[in-house]
Amino acid sequence: MKTIRVNTSKPYDVLIERGSIKSCGKYIADIAKSRRAAIITDDVVEKLYGDTVKKSLTENGFGCTMFSFPNGEASKSLAVLSDIYDFLCESSITRNDIIIALGGGVVGDITGFAAATFLRGVEFVQIPTTLLAQIDSSVGGKTAIDLKCGKNLAGAFKQPALVICDSDTLKTLSPDILADGMAEAIKYGMIRDEKLFRLIAEHDLGNVHEVMDEIVYTCIDIKRAVVENDEFDRGERMILNFGHTIGHAIEGYHNYVNYTHGKGVAAGMCIITRRFAENLSERLEKCVRAYGLPIDSEASMAELLPFCSKDKKRESNNINFIVCEKIGEAEIRKASVAEFNKMMEES
Ligand code: GLY
């Protein structure tokens, strides 16, 4: 097993081991104050891993209940959050007990937000089962739900007590969901690690499983370093948003349906790189294409720009956006909304 210690205001471990989902109860018992747990998952993941997680918890002395909601971004809502609160009340969860997020990014984000707010805070464990959740959303403590006016707009920072990553769970992912996570892996290579970028670029969607353990470990370790330096997203952490300003705009343009986050990020990285570091475009686009991801958006820049100005990285009238002029190095740039729009319209 590999362990990455994340030294945030509340330190915690990320355990990375094939098959670890089967022994999750043992690891959770090591950090839990009580032997009562509430599992929150979605209907797809429940069928795949619900019984495995329950069995392991029971074998380790836990009494547990489970709640599942429909798979997909539409569930990251106030309505589902309210159902989760009701379930936690019905399960008599107290501040000593533990909440477990079992699933992808949607499950992790909404469960983390419930854990941050229910009884003003209950400890929670992330068991991420998608690549995107393992290398990005389960680590770093960002939790949120979507509002009518945008994605992730109500949230809290709440670091998990433990993250358990089982890369065997990635084998059951559809190519689309795997590609979704690979966009974030390419992003880590672009912002921090040329060697990682090369490893990813030497593979494709068909054979990347051969090097998945190395990719997962390296990406989580990059995220650890960034989050340790800037837990509350005031500076350096913004580099994790490379490709996201345009990417979120593309997702927003498609109403967040039929367009995955990874596709948005992939196209967003390529569009911003064509505009600010054209010499890298060929390498980046070749890599992005190898994972079946888009290098451009069907929407015009004029259609996307109104969505960019809603970006969370906006500060008053300024937009922060990320540029990589060299693979492995990222820079935060600031422009007024008007300047940003002008630069992008010219591209
Ligand atoms: N997913 C970006 C961050 O955690 O800051």
Side-chain angles (χ1 to χ4, degrees), residues 5 8 20 24 42 81 109 140 145 182 208 243 254 279 287 346:
R5 180 80 169 163
T8 39
S20 52
C24 65
D42 69 33
L81 180 67
D109 283 5
I145 56 163
M182 284 311 299
V208 71
H254 289 274
N279 57 322
C287 180
E346 282 164 4

Side-chain angles (χ1 to χ4, degrees), residues 135-153:
I135 65 174
D136 183 23
S137 54
S138 68
V139 178
K142 279 191 182 173
T143 72
I145 56 163
D146 302 334
L147 299 181
K148 279 199 200 105
C149 53
K151 228 179 128 166
N152 293 330
L153 291 186

